[in-house]
Amino acid sequence: MRRPNKLVAVTFDAWPGMRSAFEDVLGASAEVVYLNDLEGADRHRTIGAADALLAWNPSGELRPGELSSAGSIGLIQLLSAGADHVRLEDIPESITVASNAGAYAEPMAEHVLAMALALAKRLPQRHAELARGQFRQLVPNRSVAGSVCGILGFGGIGKATGRRFGALGAKLHAINTSGRTDDPVEFVGTLGDLDQVLAVSDFLVIALPLTKVTRGLIGRRELALMKDDAILVNVARGAIVEEAALYEHLLGHPDFMAGIDAWWHEPRRNGEFRTEHPFFELPNLLGSPHNSAIVPGIQVEAARRAGENVLRYLRGEPVGGVVRREDYEE
């Protein structure tokens, strides 16, 4: 059988399930080679001949100088949905970088809904009261039906979240880059409409990428625009919300609540998990360890979706999730 004349190199240590996914999707159209299986001249030769790379973090996975020898690479496809960890300045501008947009949307949307419902129904607070011997049956909780759910970042995660909130009777107010969508929403706008969305939202879901524009997007001024009993859920990146501002707002507004999955200092990026303020002393905070996407089989599904985007590139078709360098580079 004639070997495909396209070559895709995988820069990380892909486990067997991911390898099967790559080869199922790409095997008929490209030879898939794993750089961690190679050494010396073979590795150098593979990078030089590759048409595309599959990577988590190319700067960390490629050795110094290897990318400069990548004469035919036109696409670096990330396995991650975000690109804020990638040193784009290390990648020649002739190479397109694509994120794995939407790959983790479904489990993350479930996680958002779980956090929002737990907070709306005051489950952590009522549980703590029961543990203290208090049985406050007649204290009302919140209903999603008839509420407004503001979604900042109406891409894969935001749309999947919107479908779940909409099914429970919430009205959706969405923010994306174009200010347009075909999804059933009551309002859609851009970041220029942020104040309006903040003011009307009973639930605010943050699903934006971390860029130079969105870093610190939600600070004291923005939190002050929100309802005193709003619920904020962040499954994107911690740095989109100012840490001190959120802590102070939760402390000063006991009916305001937050569900935080993405933190400011996490082990994979900072070597340790820590907070600058005692968030876990607050009864109106619910936390999870940035695991909203971690469900069985998700890495295989993410590998398949990344492979499908590479296949589109090899066929000369438009690819999804293209990273705009100007959003990240100062």
Side-chain angles (χ1 to χ4, degrees), residues 37-178:
D37 295 345
L38 306 176
E39 282 297 338
D42 289 339
R43 182 180 168 102
H44 185 81
R45 187 162 44 248
T46 297
I47 294 171
D51 298 281
L53 297 181
L54 281 155
W56 282 104
N57 182 359
S59 298
E61 293 155 2
L62 292 172
R63 298 169 186 172
E66 284 187 330
L67 201 53
S68 62
S69 66
S72 58
I73 292 176
L75 174 71
I76 295 178
Q77 172 64 52
L78 303 177
L79 271 291
S80 58
D84 52 286
H85 62 291
V86 177
R87 288 175 51 87
L88 293 170
E89 62 269 26
D90 293 344
I91 300 172
E93 292 193 7
S94 58
I95 298 176
T96 298
V97 179
S99 68
N100 205 2
Y104 310 92
E106 297 301 321
M108 290 181 72
E110 287 184 3
H111 200 92
V112 169
L113 186 61
M115 279 191 144
L117 285 173
L119 292 168
K121 303 304 178 183
R122 306 300 202 262
L123 297 184
Q125 295 93 326
R126 299 295 89 88
H127 178 89
E129 289 170 1
L130 288 170
R132 296 193 298 267
Q134 297 174 269
F135 196 90
R136 300 206 299 156
Q137 184 177 6
L138 299 182
V139 176
N141 56 50
R142 299 273 295 278
S143 177
V144 176
S147 68
V148 173
C149 178
I151 303 177
L152 308 187
F154 205 57
I157 299 165
K159 290 179 178 181
T161 299
R163 289 193 295 272
R164 287 160 172 79
F165 272 89
L168 294 177
K171 294 172 282 189
L172 306 180
H173 287 227
I175 294 288
N176 62 16
T177 54
S178 68

Side-chain angles (χ1 to χ4, degrees), residues 99 197 236 252 326:
S99 68
V197 172
E326 62 268 27

Side-chain angles (χ1 to χ4, degrees), residues 75 77 98-99 304-313 318-321:
L75 174 71
Q77 172 64 52
S99 68
R304 181 172 295 279
R305 289 181 65 109
E308 289 169 350
N309 211 29
V310 172
L311 185 59
R312 284 190 284 272
Y313 167 75
V319 300

